[in-house]
Amino acid sequence: MSYDPPRPAGRLLLTPEDKEAPARARRLRGLGLGERTDPALDTFAGCLAEATGAPYAMVNFLDEHRQFFAGLRRPAGGSYRKADGTSPEVGRWLPRDHGFCPHVVVRRKALVLEDVLDYPRFAGNPVVDEFGIRSYLGAPLIDSTGMVLGTVCVADLAPRAWGRTGLETIKSAAADLVVRLERRESDGLGP
């Protein structure tokens, strides 16, 4: 684990060291993933949002420095208002130390956060303050080579009990997506 410098709000954010990031970046480039949006992955994220009832769903690929949401479902018009009245738009890119997916990638297993504020390690994450994220459910995308390519995840603006059903749904979605990605690779279709 490495410690990042203090955030402007004075909080320390513990971001896991990701020794596989360079190899992952090469693998993602070889698969044609992690650099551009993909309508099929947006559709996948939309189905995942519907299955879990979450306003946000992502298919996220990570490299050494950033995260890329190749598949993204977000509420139209934003639903979170900051203290200054603005409603930030969740984009396709985030720094690697934002959010919870880097933890899923390094852990190599699902992560359930019913209320991120219950966990000091995660409560100081920029997505909590910037986007109002309060709950998270994510699972790693582990391909047949054993490489973690990224994650599938959902997030909500309110605390929520994801339960066993939510955990099974996210893990099943991750396994299904890996099969689809590898099928596209073996068929020579690219992303």
Side-chain angles (χ1 to χ4, degrees), residues 11 15-16 25 46 48 54-56 64 68 72 79 81 84 96 107 114 116 135 150 152 155-156 180:
R11 299 178 181 168
T15 302
L48 185 57
Y56 295 95
E64 300 99 319
F68 176 66
L72 177 61
S79 57
R81 296 255 181 239
D84 65 5
R96 200 184 83 74
R107 289 166 37 110
E114 293 181 348
V116 297
S135 59
V152 293
D156 203 333
R180 292 179 190 204

Side-chain angles (χ1 to χ4, degrees), residues 28-148:
L28 289 171
R29 278 192 301 277
L31 293 169
L33 298 170
E35 299 269 330
R36 61 184 177 271
T37 60
D38 183 329
L41 295 178
D42 281 342
T43 299
F44 186 90
C47 291
L48 185 57
E50 289 176 24
T52 61
Y56 295 95
M58 285 86 45
V59 176
N60 187 9
F61 299 114
L62 292 81
D63 65 20
E64 300 99 319
H65 308 290
R66 61 188 182 179
Q67 305 174 63
F68 176 66
F69 301 126
L72 177 61
R73 167 73 176 276
R74 58 189 164 212
S79 57
Y80 174 67
R81 296 255 181 239
K82 292 169 61 169
D84 65 5
T86 60
S87 184
E89 181 75 20
V90 173
R92 295 282 180 164
W93 300 95
L94 273 181
R96 200 184 83 74
D97 64 349
H98 284 49
F100 313 105
C101 292
H103 297 271
V104 172
V105 167
V106 172
R107 289 166 37 110
R108 304 179 63 90
K109 63 182 186 176
L111 177 63
V112 180
L113 299 172
E114 293 181 348
D115 186 346
V116 297
L117 299 182
D118 288 342
Y119 304 89
R121 159 187 220 169
F122 297 116
N125 200 293
V127 299
V128 176
D129 295 331
E130 293 175 28
F131 302 107
I133 300 300
R134 286 289 301 274
S135 59
Y136 171 89
L137 177 65
L141 295 167
I142 303 175
D143 72 6
S144 60
T145 71
M147 175 69 62
V148 179

Side-chain angles (χ1 to χ4, degrees), residues 161-184:
W162 298 104
R164 182 169 296 283
T165 302
L167 182 59
E168 290 171 2
T169 299
I170 201 77
K171 289 166 79 174
S172 175
D176 178 52
L177 184 55
V178 167
V179 168
R180 292 179 190 204
L181 294 173
E182 289 189 326
R183 185 179 309 134
R184 293 193 314 186

